[in-house]
Amino acid sequence: MENQFFVNAGIQSPAPPLHFGSSMPMSDWQSLSSAMEIQSQDCFPTPNWEKPTDYGLQFESALSSMVSSRAASNCNVSSESLIIRELIGKLGSIGNGGEIPPHSQPLLASYINGNNSSNTSCYSTPLNSPPKLNLPMVDSLVKEKLPPKGLNSSVADFSADPGFAERAAKFSCFGSRSFNGRTTQFGPKDNTEFAAFRSNPLAANAKLPRVSSSPSIKAMVSQGTTTNKNTPLQDRSELANSQEESIVSEQNPNGEPGLKASNSRKRKAVPKAKTKETSSSPSANASKVTEPNEASNEKRCKLSDSNGHENGSAKAEEDAKGDKANNTKALEPPKDYIHVRARRGQATDSHSLAERVRREKISERMKLLQNLVPGCKKVTGKALMLDEIINYVQSLQRQVEFLSMKLASVNTRLDFNVESLMSKDIFQRNNTLQQPIFAINSSASTFFGHQPQQNPALHSNMSNGTMTQCSVDPLDTAICPKLNTHLPQINQFVETVPPQYPTFCEGDLETIVHMGFGQNQSQDMALHSQNFQGSNQVSHMKVEL
Amino acid sequence: MNNPHHLNPTSLKSRFTTRFLRALTKIRAQKPISSSSPTEIFRRYRRIKVAADKSMAYSVRSRRIWSRAMLWKLRSRSYRRQDPCSGRRSGKTNQAIMKKSSNENTTTRREDGVGFVEEADELRQLVPGGETMNLCNLLDETAHYIKCLTTQLFSPIGKG
């Protein structure tokens, strides 16, 4: 497999379009290398990677780590050259060795990351592939920071390197996946050059762990896992991949329709329009790069065009929108940036992405509403749920009107002791009913005249069955008690009462059964209930619940 | 039994309860329920209902779109009622503004691309100020509105 890549790479024309299976752009490589310098942290392959097998992977991981570390830190571009030179040196040593001595890898890793010494594990695998790749690549990187033309030459160099081809293939396969978990570690401070890289590495990192099918990748992953961010590394590698792809496309705006086609074909999620876009403005796109999220890319491209470099804040905003939407394949939630990544098999134009974000928001809020509205959980489907919500809101509003009507008609003296009123909440909490509880007002007892309510807290207003019966004796307008089942003082409500209050369909006659007025009340209640029965029509207010 | 929830003086429930109690006492003081004519009762009912809405809206202040819309509606209504002569101008302008905004809102059929337009429109009519919201905000406001309505209903005042 590797050999095939090598062969193909060798055959590749110097023109940028390396027609790999997934066509890793050489320019991306360059940009990656330039990005590498900035890294201060290291991102190591995730522990998932089983065994590093080939040089390509090694280098890939190194680059990704470099990129990621670069992403983490915010070095300015000036240090690039320095880092690149160092990198070249390291790579050269690696290349010469044929097999990477274990120490060189950590050197490289440590160099790249600067701080992490634990990176050594990432590069434990010997560099089997020809070292030439490193040198020419590094040289090209050093010479030409990111000139498109230079990239072409470097591309030629890269093409010569079979290992590179292999890596490109691997990276390219990453590029097609979603970049969930890409973080905004790079932030807006990165230069345009790095912006491209930083997005790529993140994406790459994010994707790498998912590419479980590739043993080499797994090897890489297993290598690393040193310090902290596996996912950033993956994201970065992914981003690097995608970036490489995009850069390639950038560089070949005119030619290589085949490459473009292959790019678009390979990158399932990356829209072709995007690559064309990027290719149209390579310089601007270099900063933007390859996020498979075309929408965000397009926006970012515009932003970069205007700003000259990535607008991290705008990116964050856009990404934040899509963050929730794109987590089907996200490894980790992004740190600063929330990159919206097109899901596999879904459209990736800006409109559909934004729409997907909106839909996710809406469904999230519907879930919240589901918890609020009782009985909504059984309903499936948004339309039905909306209907349920509408009914519930209508019923609540009508209940409020109903209760205010009751308040208007009942001539009760309100207990203005808020504290005591509030204490009723205790019962309300135990109330399993969804209906409002009527507080027995102490003054309400005066209606009955005989039952002084010992507990002022136990206030229950006798609801007036018919509001229109104003002329009825106040006693007759006794409100039907809707007492909390837990009001112990009112536990003497005679069982005879319930049958006398069949019309109180507010509903919970069973609660009345449990409730009780005082013993002495029962007779009065019976009396009143009879009166009530006689006088009240069935025009009780129906409380919709 | 200590129930710390409603003992919180700053909770929505306590705010609403105090305000509503104040309003109720005021209403009761104005017209004691001596007459039992239905019209009187109806008028009182209207006043109490407005008082409940007002108390709830003031408890929420301007934090929510629906509360702002409700407050605005109440204020414009009260202005119109208080000063019919000089307020006519303001009332007209208010009405004109309201009509215009409502017309604009109603004519602009919000196609949110999710296919709930009819239900969403219904919900917009229910929630105060809902005409101006997109579906996303509308659902947010609906959730808060439901929460406040239940607070109203379950307040310790005679309502619940």
Side-chain angles (χ1 to χ4, degrees):
Chain A
M1 172 176 77
E2 291 185 4
N3 295 333
Q4 285 180 355
F5 284 115
F6 293 169
V7 169
N8 292 338
I11 294 176
Q12 289 291 341
S13 64
L18 283 179
H19 196 91
F20 301 122
S22 42
S23 69
M24 175 146 113
M26 297 306 173
S27 55
D28 290 343
W29 203 242
Q30 239 193 8
S31 55
L32 268 178
S33 54
S34 60
M36 284 190 264
E37 57 169 10
I38 300 189
Q39 292 177 358
S40 60
Q41 302 177 12
D42 57 354
C43 38
F44 296 100
T46 60
N48 301 337
W49 295 358
E50 300 156 4
K51 51 175 169 94
T53 51
D54 54 20
Y55 168 79
L57 288 171
Q58 179 100 38
F59 199 75
E60 182 177 341
S61 62
L63 282 178
S64 59
S65 67
M66 292 204 307
V67 177
S68 59
S69 66
R70 174 201 154 282
S73 69
N74 288 321
C75 312
N76 55 15
V77 187
S78 57
S79 57
E80 251 190 47
S81 52
L82 259 150
I83 298 176
I84 288 182
R85 284 176 216 284
E86 283 183 278
L87 177 63
I88 292 167
K90 301 293 177 191
L91 292 176
S93 69
I94 292 170
N96 294 335
E99 67 176 331
I100 297 180
H103 60 80
S104 67
Q105 296 168 7
L107 276 179
L108 182 64
S110 58
Y111 169 73
I112 293 169
N113 302 317
N115 302 330
N116 281 333
S117 55
S118 55
N119 296 343
T120 63
S121 59
C122 299
Y123 309 99
S124 55
T125 59
L127 293 175
N128 301 326
S129 52
K132 296 174 233 162
L133 172 66
N134 296 334
L135 289 174
M137 187 191 70
V138 173
D139 291 341
S140 61
L141 289 173
V142 175
K143 292 167 202 165
E144 321 154 315
K145 286 286 173 76
L146 269 183
K149 303 303 177 183
L151 284 173
N152 289 339
S153 60
S154 60
V155 166
D157 290 336
F158 293 157
S159 61
D161 187 350
F164 184 78
E166 184 187 8
R167 269 191 307 277
K170 290 197 181 85
F171 276 122
S172 61
C173 69
F174 296 154
S176 62
R177 310 272 170 95
S178 63
F179 282 171
N180 288 337
R182 261 183 313 172
T183 68
T184 59
Q185 298 170 1
F186 306 113
K189 309 158 202 170
D190 296 331
N191 284 340
T192 58
E193 301 172 5
F194 304 140
F197 297 120
R198 66 177 183 204
S199 60
N200 282 337
L202 284 178
N205 291 341
K207 287 192 80 159
L208 279 174
R210 286 196 289 276
V211 184
S212 56
S213 57
S214 166
S216 58
I217 295 166
K218 284 183 184 170
M220 283 179 72
V221 176
S222 57
Q223 284 178 6
T225 82
T226 53
T227 51
N228 29 2
K229 315 159 186 185
N230 295 329
T231 51
L233 174 65
Q234 294 154 5
D235 289 348
R236 290 188 197 117
S237 54
E238 282 188 356
L239 282 171
N241 292 335
S242 59
Q243 188 167 16
E244 292 172 352
E245 295 172 351
S246 67
I247 292 181
V248 169
S249 63
E250 285 179 27
Q251 308 217 332
N252 305 321
N254 310 324
E256 313 302 348
L259 175 65
K260 274 197 181 166
S262 68
N263 286 345
S264 57
R265 258 183 276 122
K266 298 305 173 180
R267 290 182 255 171
K268 297 160 194 165
V270 180
K272 295 182 189 180
K274 186 164 170 323
T275 60
K276 286 169 192 163
E277 244 188 21
T278 55
S279 61
S280 60
S281 58
S283 57
N285 290 335
S287 57
K288 292 308 186 163
V289 189
T290 58
E291 297 198 347
N293 184 351
E294 178 177 314
S296 51
N297 282 336
E298 286 175 355
K299 292 174 193 166
R300 295 202 194 94
C301 288
K302 290 164 194 162
L303 287 170
S304 70
D305 289 339
S306 60
N307 304 334
H309 58 83
E310 285 191 13
N311 186 350
S313 58
K315 206 178 195 177
E317 287 171 8
E318 295 171 1
D319 291 336
K321 278 189 260 169
D323 180 42
K324 297 164 189 165
N326 66 356
N327 284 333
T328 50
K329 299 187 182 179
L331 300 175
E332 278 180 5
K335 311 249 168 114
D336 299 328
Y337 272 86
I338 299 172
H339 295 261
V340 180
R341 176 99 191 229
R343 289 196 194 139
R344 192 185 178 115
Q346 292 193 0
T348 53
D349 57 313
S350 62
H351 294 296
S352 57
L353 269 166
E355 184 143 338
R356 182 149 51 92
V357 167
R358 272 192 69 256
R359 265 184 267 132
E360 303 269 345
K361 267 197 206 168
I362 286 172
S363 53
E364 184 186 322
R365 295 200 164 90
M366 297 275 258
K367 281 189 201 128
L368 292 174
L369 275 173
Q370 243 185 346
N371 298 333
L372 274 179
V373 177
C376 209
K377 294 201 174 151
K378 315 152 194 167
V379 177
T380 52
K382 289 186 188 165
L384 293 173
M385 232 170 60
L386 271 177
D387 285 338
E388 278 292 321
I389 292 165
I390 289 170
N391 290 338
Y392 188 63
V393 171
Q394 279 175 343
S395 75
L396 284 180
Q397 284 178 337
R398 281 191 215 133
Q399 255 182 302
V400 170
E401 292 181 11
F402 175 51
L403 293 173
S404 52
M405 186 81 88
K406 285 187 185 176
L407 277 176
S409 65
V410 172
N411 189 14
T412 62
R413 217 174 3 109
L414 292 176
D415 185 347
F416 300 140
N417 184 355
V418 180
E419 201 57 33
S420 63
L421 282 178
M422 293 293 209
S423 63
K424 284 189 228 89
D425 286 348
I426 301 165
F427 305 116
Q428 289 187 9
R429 306 222 175 263
N430 299 329
N431 186 15
T432 57
L433 304 176
Q434 307 249 347
Q435 299 164 357
I437 300 170
F438 286 74
I440 301 177
N441 198 335
S442 56
S443 61
S445 64
T446 62
F447 280 151
F448 309 101
H450 308 281
Q451 301 90 15
Q453 290 294 339
Q454 299 304 326
N455 185 355
L458 296 176
H459 294 193
S460 64
N461 287 335
M462 310 302 274
S463 62
N464 191 357
T466 63
M467 291 302 167
T468 57
Q469 292 199 342
C470 332
S471 55
V472 181
D473 179 38
L475 286 181
D476 291 339
T477 62
I479 308 164
C480 105
K482 272 182 62 178
L483 304 175
N484 197 322
T485 59
H486 298 267
L487 290 174
Q489 290 82 350
I490 315 184
N491 55 7
Q492 293 165 357
F493 200 65
V494 190
E495 289 72 14
T496 61
V497 177
Q500 294 170 355
Y501 288 92
T503 59
F504 293 106
C505 66
E506 275 188 355
D508 303 34
L509 294 180
E510 54 271 23
T511 66
I512 299 176
V513 177
H514 300 298
M515 315 309 308
F517 294 134
Q519 287 285 353
N520 29 350
Q521 285 189 12
S522 60
Q523 296 171 357
D524 296 320
M525 286 307 298
L527 180 67
H528 296 309
S529 68
Q530 284 171 7
N531 288 343
F532 200 45
Q533 290 282 320
S535 56
N536 290 340
Q537 304 89 1
V538 191
S539 58
H540 46 266
M541 303 285 185
K542 234 183 167 183
V543 177
E544 295 176 11
L545 290 180
Chain B
M1 305 186 227
N2 279 338
N3 206 335
H5 297 274
H6 49 267
L7 292 180
N8 177 13
T10 58
S11 74
L12 177 71
K13 181 173 270 188
S14 54
R15 286 201 306 266
F16 167 76
T17 308
T18 36
R19 265 186 243 261
F20 191 50
L21 268 178
R22 256 184 261 143
L24 273 183
T25 48
K26 222 188 287 179
I27 293 173
R28 294 273 167 107
Q30 286 172 2
K31 278 196 173 201
I33 306 186
S34 52
S35 61
S36 51
S37 68
T39 48
E40 282 299 324
I41 292 209
F42 188 75
R43 262 185 231 149
R44 205 181 308 126
Y45 149 70
R46 294 289 307 175
R47 248 177 255 138
I48 289 180
K49 180 162 172 276
V50 166
D53 287 342
K54 218 174 207 177
S55 328
M56 181 47 69
Y58 272 108
S59 302
V60 181
R61 284 285 157 186
S62 301
R63 286 197 292 269
R64 286 279 159 180
I65 305 179
W66 69 265
S67 69
R68 289 197 291 267
M70 194 182 260
L71 283 172
W72 192 84
K73 252 186 256 173
L74 292 167
R75 283 200 189 114
S76 64
R77 225 184 290 154
S78 69
Y79 291 157
R80 266 182 276 132
R81 248 189 296 134
Q82 283 168 12
D83 205 349
C85 301
S86 67
R88 223 167 268 161
R89 257 173 277 133
S90 58
K92 273 185 189 167
T93 50
N94 285 343
Q95 277 175 349
I97 291 168
M98 279 186 74
K99 272 189 199 162
K100 186 180 172 216
S101 61
S102 64
N103 284 343
E104 283 172 354
N105 292 327
T106 50
T107 49
T108 60
R109 192 164 169 80
R110 290 182 179 268
E111 274 294 340
D112 293 333
V114 287
F116 309 128
V117 190
E118 290 84 16
E119 292 89 350
D121 287 344
E122 250 190 274
L123 201 53
R124 287 206 178 91
Q125 290 166 13
L126 284 177
V127 176
E131 299 89 4
T132 53
M133 306 183 222
N134 54 12
L135 187 60
C136 198
N137 291 341
L138 182 68
L139 293 177
D140 263 346
E141 297 290 320
T142 306
H144 194 263
Y145 187 57
I146 287 176
K147 178 188 157 208
C148 291
L149 281 179
T150 48
T151 309
Q152 265 186 306
L153 293 176
F154 284 86
S155 80
I157 310 181
K159 289 195 163 205

Short mmCIF file of all heavy atoms in Angstrom, two decimals, chain A residues 88-99 101 104 135:
data_model
loop_
_atom_site.label_atom_id
_atom_site.label_comp_id
_atom_site.label_asym_id
_atom_site.label_seq_id
_atom_site.Cartn_x
_atom_site.Cartn_y
_atom_site.Cartn_z
N ILE A 88 13.81 21.63 10.20
CA ILE A 88 14.55 21.03 9.11
C ILE A 88 15.70 20.22 9.65
O ILE A 88 15.97 19.11 9.22
CB ILE A 88 15.06 22.12 8.16
CG1 ILE A 88 13.88 22.79 7.45
CG2 ILE A 88 16.04 21.53 7.16
CD1 ILE A 88 14.28 24.05 6.76
N GLY A 89 16.37 20.83 10.59
CA GLY A 89 17.49 20.11 11.15
C GLY A 89 17.05 18.79 11.73
O GLY A 89 17.65 17.74 11.50
N LYS A 90 15.98 18.87 12.46
CA LYS A 90 15.52 17.64 13.08
C LYS A 90 15.12 16.62 12.04
O LYS A 90 15.48 15.45 12.12
CB LYS A 90 14.31 17.94 13.98
CG LYS A 90 14.60 18.93 15.06
CD LYS A 90 15.57 18.40 16.08
CE LYS A 90 15.89 19.48 17.09
NZ LYS A 90 17.01 19.13 17.93
N LEU A 91 14.40 17.11 11.11
CA LEU A 91 13.92 16.19 10.09
C LEU A 91 15.08 15.61 9.33
O LEU A 91 15.09 14.44 8.97
CB LEU A 91 12.96 16.91 9.16
CG LEU A 91 11.64 17.33 9.81
CD1 LEU A 91 10.81 18.11 8.83
CD2 LEU A 91 10.89 16.11 10.28
N GLY A 92 16.02 16.47 9.08
CA GLY A 92 17.17 15.96 8.37
C GLY A 92 17.84 14.85 9.14
O GLY A 92 18.20 13.81 8.60
N SER A 93 17.94 15.07 10.39
CA SER A 93 18.57 14.03 11.20
C SER A 93 17.73 12.77 11.14
O SER A 93 18.24 11.67 11.07
CB SER A 93 18.72 14.52 12.63
OG SER A 93 17.45 14.63 13.23
N ILE A 94 16.47 13.00 11.17
CA ILE A 94 15.60 11.84 11.12
C ILE A 94 15.78 11.13 9.79
O ILE A 94 15.90 9.92 9.70
CB ILE A 94 14.14 12.26 11.31
CG1 ILE A 94 13.93 12.75 12.74
CG2 ILE A 94 13.21 11.10 11.01
CD1 ILE A 94 12.60 13.39 12.95
N GLY A 95 15.80 11.95 8.75
CA GLY A 95 15.89 11.34 7.43
C GLY A 95 17.18 10.58 7.26
O GLY A 95 17.22 9.49 6.69
N ASN A 96 18.21 11.17 7.75
CA ASN A 96 19.50 10.52 7.56
C ASN A 96 19.53 9.19 8.28
O ASN A 96 20.10 8.22 7.82
CB ASN A 96 20.61 11.41 8.11
CG ASN A 96 20.72 12.67 7.29
OD1 ASN A 96 20.34 12.67 6.12
ND2 ASN A 96 21.22 13.73 7.89
N GLY A 97 18.94 9.22 9.39
CA GLY A 97 19.04 8.01 10.18
C GLY A 97 18.35 6.82 9.55
O GLY A 97 18.68 5.69 9.84
N GLY A 98 17.46 7.08 8.69
CA GLY A 98 16.74 5.93 8.15
C GLY A 98 15.75 5.42 9.14
O GLY A 98 14.59 5.21 8.82
N GLU A 99 16.18 5.20 10.27
CA GLU A 99 15.19 4.91 11.28
C GLU A 99 15.38 5.91 12.41
O GLU A 99 16.48 6.24 12.79
CB GLU A 99 15.30 3.48 11.80
CG GLU A 99 16.55 3.19 12.59
CD GLU A 99 16.54 1.79 13.15
OE1 GLU A 99 15.47 1.26 13.40
OE2 GLU A 99 17.61 1.24 13.30
N PRO A 101 15.95 7.34 15.51
CA PRO A 101 16.35 6.93 16.85
C PRO A 101 15.35 7.50 17.84
O PRO A 101 14.81 8.57 17.64
CB PRO A 101 17.73 7.56 17.03
CG PRO A 101 17.79 8.64 16.01
CD PRO A 101 16.91 8.25 14.89
N SER A 104 15.78 11.04 18.78
CA SER A 104 15.54 12.12 17.83
C SER A 104 14.07 12.49 17.80
O SER A 104 13.71 13.64 17.67
CB SER A 104 15.99 11.70 16.44
OG SER A 104 15.17 10.65 15.98
N LEU A 135 13.89 16.36 3.86
CA LEU A 135 14.83 17.40 3.49
C LEU A 135 14.26 18.30 2.41
O LEU A 135 14.24 19.51 2.56
CB LEU A 135 16.15 16.77 3.05
CG LEU A 135 16.92 16.15 4.23
CD1 LEU A 135 18.14 15.41 3.74
CD2 LEU A 135 17.30 17.24 5.21
#
